[in-house]
């Protein structure tokens, strides 16, 4: 232990990528060309890109080196067996099915096992998870604890599932519940962690009712770090052991390796059920590829295998969670409303609280996202009424919260980038009363936030 308080980035930089410094006028024109939807911007028009932490991380020298070890054999590739060994060792699951990213794992799982009318409870479904359930005419039910829906309420595990609500659901409607999911950390609810105690309680209920329990494990390592920090039983446990314990409680998982796989692409579906795995592999061959590559190159399997080993290292996780918290502290100290406490991978601005004069159906999150881009070149994403407000019956209602997520790519930005972002947010917050809402001019029925076009109500 050394006597210094500064938590440094536990890496040094070997290769750099320049940023394109464009003017406010150029950004204003770019935003208009993009129909006021930041998903349609060219990435070169963005200065600090906090759109997502998914697939945007920097790989380590060891991962780049591992790429050269990729075995591109169609069947039985050495890289697959290395990948399978690492995933099995971490999760303990019997079947490991590679996919090109998380949503492919979701699609394969849900298309294989769901019937119309089934219910899949989760703390909070991510948008692709929800869409992949709804497309099977099943119901994606969110039952996070009440604190998880109150942005300013402090709670160490705001991602916890409401176990009473789950029990009531199972008592009432067990037949319709095909499986129970918990998302760690809870991305759509502010990147908030789920405690081991909560996972144990969900496991116990699933066992009592004979229901499979799956993790949406995209950010399992960040969740493990929060458990280490906040659950005394795990204070001295290595993050890797905590993660293993989390997986041991479940029967399977869907995983996007673009987050805690520290890879730019990839994912997997893993489970213990022989029957479901057989059926999933059949669909995998149809849409992703042979079961030993599942839509990934051998070199990508190598990068993920190495990434899964690095992501549970303590110095990395300490730096990772602290850098998010650092941004949250700066913004919050200036009085900008955010979800408290900070999430693992992102800071979530409470756009509804910051822009009380913009009605939820005029999309305060979009107003804030667009202002942040225009004023400072910082790209965030709306997680609110545009993302979740349109229901499968075509009706629209305000989402539970209107948030703007500033997701931090892994190992990409330095502390001065983060200082700049804090300054930008505070600047935009100061002009918030001048920001106006938007209306949607066109949008698809599913996952509309990616491609919707907007017009300012100014
Ligand atoms: C919680 C959660 N589940 C699933 C996914 C989908 O993963 P992918 O983007 O790899 O398809 C994401 C992606 O952001 C996520 O955050």
């Amino acid at each position: 232990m050394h006597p210094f308080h500064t938590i440094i980035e536990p890496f040094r930089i070997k290769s750099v990528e320049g940023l394109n410094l464009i003017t406010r006028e150029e950004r204003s024109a770019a935003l208009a060309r993009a129909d006021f939807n930041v998903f349609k911007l060219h990435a070169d028009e963005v200065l600090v890109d906090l759109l997502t932490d998914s697939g945007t991380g920097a790989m380590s020298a060891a991962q780049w080196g591992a790429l050269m070890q990729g075995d591109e054999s169609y069947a039985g590739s050495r890289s697959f067996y290395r990948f399978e060994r690492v995933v099995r060792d971490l999760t303990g699951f019997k079947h490991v099915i590679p996919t090109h990213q998380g949503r492919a794992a979701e699609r394969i799982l849900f298309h294989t096992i769901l019937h119309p009318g089934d219910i899949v409870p989760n703390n909070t479904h991510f948008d692709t998870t929800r869409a992949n359930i709804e497309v099977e005419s099943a119901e994606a039910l969110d039952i996070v604890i009440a604190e998880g829906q109150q942005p300013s309420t402090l709670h160490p595990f705001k991602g916890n599932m409401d176990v009473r609500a789950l029990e009531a659901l199972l008592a009432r409607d067990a037949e319709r519940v095909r499986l129970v999911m918990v998302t760690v950390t809870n991305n759509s609810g502010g990147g908030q962690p789920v405690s081991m105690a909560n996972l144990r309680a969900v496991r116990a209920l699933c066992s009592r009712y004979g229901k499979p329990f799956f993790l949406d494990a995209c950010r399992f390592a960040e969740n493990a770090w929060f458990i280490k920090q906040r659950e005394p039983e795990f204070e001295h446990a290595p993050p890797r052991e905590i993660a293993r314990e989390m997986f041991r409680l479940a029967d399977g998982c869907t995983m996007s390796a673009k987050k805690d796989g520290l890879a730019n692409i990839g994912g997997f579906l893993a489970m213990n059920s022989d029957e479901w795995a057989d059926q999933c592999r059949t669909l995998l061959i149809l849409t992703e590829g042979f079961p030993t590559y599942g839509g990934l190159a051998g070199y990508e399997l190598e990068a993920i295998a190495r990434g899964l080993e690095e992501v549970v290292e303590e110095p990395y996780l300490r730096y990772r969670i602290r850098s998010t918290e650092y941004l949250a502290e700066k913004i919050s100290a200036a009085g900008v409303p955010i979800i408290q406490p900070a999430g693992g991978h992102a800071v979530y601005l409470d756009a509804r609280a910051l822009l009380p004069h913009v009605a939820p159906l005029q999309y305060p999150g979009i107003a804030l996202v667009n202002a942040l881009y225009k004023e400072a070149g910082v790209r965030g994403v709306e997680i609110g009424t545009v993302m979740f407000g349109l229901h499968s019956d075509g009706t629209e209602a305000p989402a539970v919260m209107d948030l703007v997520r500033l997701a931090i790519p892994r190992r990409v930005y330095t502390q001065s980038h983060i200082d700049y972002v804090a300054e930008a947010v505070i600047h935009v917050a100061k002009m918030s009363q001048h920001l106006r809402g938007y209306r949607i001019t066109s949008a698809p029925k599913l996952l509309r936030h990616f491609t919707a076009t907007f017009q300012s109500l100014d």
Side-chain angles (χ1 to χ4, degrees), residues 101-103 106 126 128 183 187 216 218-219 256 258-259:
Q101 62 184 90
R103 69 199 67 184
E106 292 161 6
F126 184 64
T128 58
T183 304
N187 184 9
D216 177 339
C218 299
R219 298 177 182 84
S256 167
K258 299 171 73 176
K259 288 84 170 171

Side-chain angles (χ1 to χ4, degrees), residues 147 150-158 192 230 339-342:
E147 291 89 337
Q150 299 153 0
S152 58
T153 307
L154 284 171
H155 186 287
F157 292 103
K158 285 174 92 167
Q192 299 292 321
R230 299 179 186 175
I339 291 204
Q340 300 279 12

Side-chain angles (χ1 to χ4, degrees), residues 52-55 100-106 124-129 132 183-188 216-219 254-259 265-267 345 405:
T52 176
D53 63 320
S54 178
H100 80 274
Q101 62 184 90
R103 69 199 67 184
E106 292 161 6
T124 312
H125 287 280
F126 184 64
D127 59 357
T128 58
T129 325
N132 273 304
T183 304
V184 291
T185 57
N186 190 22
N187 184 9
S188 304
D216 177 339
C218 299
R219 298 177 182 84
T254 54
M255 172 75 189
S256 167
K258 299 171 73 176
K259 288 84 170 171
I265 194 70
H345 66 296
R405 187 187 71 180

Side-chain angles (χ1 to χ4, degrees), residues 231-295:
E231 244 174 319
E233 179 187 341
F234 296 96
E235 195 183 345
H236 301 296
R240 183 182 158 74
E241 289 313 310
I242 299 173
R244 284 171 120 166
E245 171 93 18
M246 287 161 50
F247 283 114
R248 248 196 307 275
L249 292 169
D251 300 298
C253 73
T254 54
M255 172 75 189
S256 167
K258 299 171 73 176
K259 288 84 170 171
D260 277 353
L262 296 180
N264 300 123
I265 194 70
F268 58 86
L269 174 61
M271 65 186 79
N272 288 328
S273 162
D274 297 337
E275 190 193 338
W276 280 11
D278 275 354
Q279 292 170 17
C280 286
R281 283 200 184 99
T282 304
L283 185 55
L284 183 86
I285 293 173
L286 198 65
T287 60
E288 293 282 295
F290 190 73
T292 60
Y293 76 88

Side-chain angles (χ1 to χ4, degrees), residues 332-353:
S332 178
V336 181
I338 61 168
I339 291 204
Q340 300 279 12
H345 66 296
V347 173
Y348 292 69
L349 311 176
D350 185 349
R352 196 176 286 173

